[in-house]
Amino acid sequence: MTAVPMPAARADRSRSRPAPQEKIIVGLDIGGSKTRGVRIDGGRVTREEVAGSANVQNVDKSVAGRNLEALMAALGGAEADEVYIGAGGIDTDEDAGSLRKLVSPCAPRATVEIVHDTRLILAAAGQDVGIALIAGTGSAAWGINPAGEEARSGGWGYLLGDEGSGYWFGREAVRHSLRQLNLGLAPDGLTELLLSDCGLDRPEHLISQFHTNHDRRYWAQRSRVVFEAAARGHVLSQAIIREGGWHLAEQVLQVARRLALAGPVIVGGGLGLHQPALVEALNAHLAGEGLPAARTLAVEPVFGALHLAGALLNTTAGPAAGSPEPARK
């Protein structure tokens, strides 16, 4: 597994850095479909903004740059002392460096720290030790133990993996419908919901629709039909959900074994937060391996920025600093 990149010389630099509560901090959570940002002044969230995705694995680099520029301007990034970014696809120092080049002009006086987006989930839960699981458009797990050792599982992207993710569920719905077609069976409940959601009238049209529409966010959004069909009693949809939960549990278990870590397990990502049937399936598999039940994140991961700032400074953030109250809109 690839370790989460940690910028060099952090420990030396941190000795001269003021406490997070004394600074203007900007936190960014760069996801596959959107980028969330918060501004924290003196330990209090004062602005929240959302822009399009700035993940260069999902959008063109120029689009990512424009989205970041607009978001940072809305957050007053020019005034920031420090910027903390969680993003998918940050697997090497080169990945982090490329993203830093896009962000730095928008925050010219700030230091910019970049981590894999799973780390924001743990920070948003106020945890310095544990396992974070993303179940969103993609999927990945990351953990850190008391010795500071880190491990990752998954996060390879939809072409190589992302099992148990929104994209995986959308693709499995298409595969199920085409298998039914090959068997000469009439469209069942899942296929009918999928065709309606895609604006199609025949299962065979799914083939060209899938191959000509390469937007993984589009197919991740189709994941909802699996859960709707399962709620209506569709047995095969229920089986797909159990399989997705197993895949997510395997990512968690790989990290837990490598780190000799029993938890806690914190779940983030749109699918994990909004589909309790998936979390139930995940927890059933974790329980079978002797791990405690995963709990879903109560706030957006981006609110972990201040806790992360304290952790990287080798300080302990208090309850208010670790989980800042969202700004009132």
Side-chain angles (χ1 to χ4, degrees), residues 184-248:
L185 301 175
D188 61 5
L190 175 55
T191 300
E192 289 176 349
L193 285 172
L194 179 61
L195 291 175
S196 176
D197 208 47
C198 293
L200 303 174
D201 56 6
R202 291 161 55 187
E204 52 265 43
H205 292 164
L206 287 166
I207 301 173
S208 60
Q209 175 81 342
F210 191 86
H211 287 291
T212 58
N213 186 342
H214 299 291
D215 185 352
R216 69 175 184 141
R217 292 167 295 179
Y218 174 87
W219 293 107
Q221 289 168 358
R222 308 285 82 74
S223 64
R224 59 178 173 252
V225 303
V226 179
F227 294 92
E228 184 176 346
R232 295 182 182 184
H234 188 256
V235 174
L236 291 178
S237 291
Q238 294 168 353
I240 292 172
I241 293 172
R242 288 194 297 271
E243 183 182 352
W246 180 84
H247 283 301
L248 295 176

Side-chain angles (χ1 to χ4, degrees), residues 120-136:
L120 274 183
I121 290 177
L122 210 59
Q127 299 289 332
D128 297 312
V129 171
I131 301 170
L133 173 67
I134 286 181

Side-chain angles (χ1 to χ4, degrees), residues 14 16-25 42-43 82 306 309-310 313 315:
S14 68
S16 61
R17 290 159 68 181
Q21 292 83 353
E22 300 171 4
K23 299 177 292 190
I24 297 173
I25 294 173
E82 294 190 357
L306 188 57
L313 189 60
T315 64

Side-chain angles (χ1 to χ4, degrees), residues 1-2 130-133 139-145 149-156 160-163 245-263 265 282 285-286 289 291:
M1 304 295 173
T2 304
I131 301 170
L133 173 67
S139 66
W142 172 85
I144 182 169
N145 65 16
E149 298 169 322
E150 304 176 19
R152 271 210 19 229
S153 177
W156 301 344
L160 293 174
D162 278 357
E163 295 88 351
W246 180 84
H247 283 301
L248 295 176
E250 280 298 299
Q251 293 185 24
V252 171
L253 289 166
Q254 287 176 25
V255 172
R257 290 163 182 156
R258 286 189 60 196
L259 298 178
L261 192 61
V265 179
L282 162 69
H285 291 294
L286 293 180
E289 297 291 336
L291 284 185

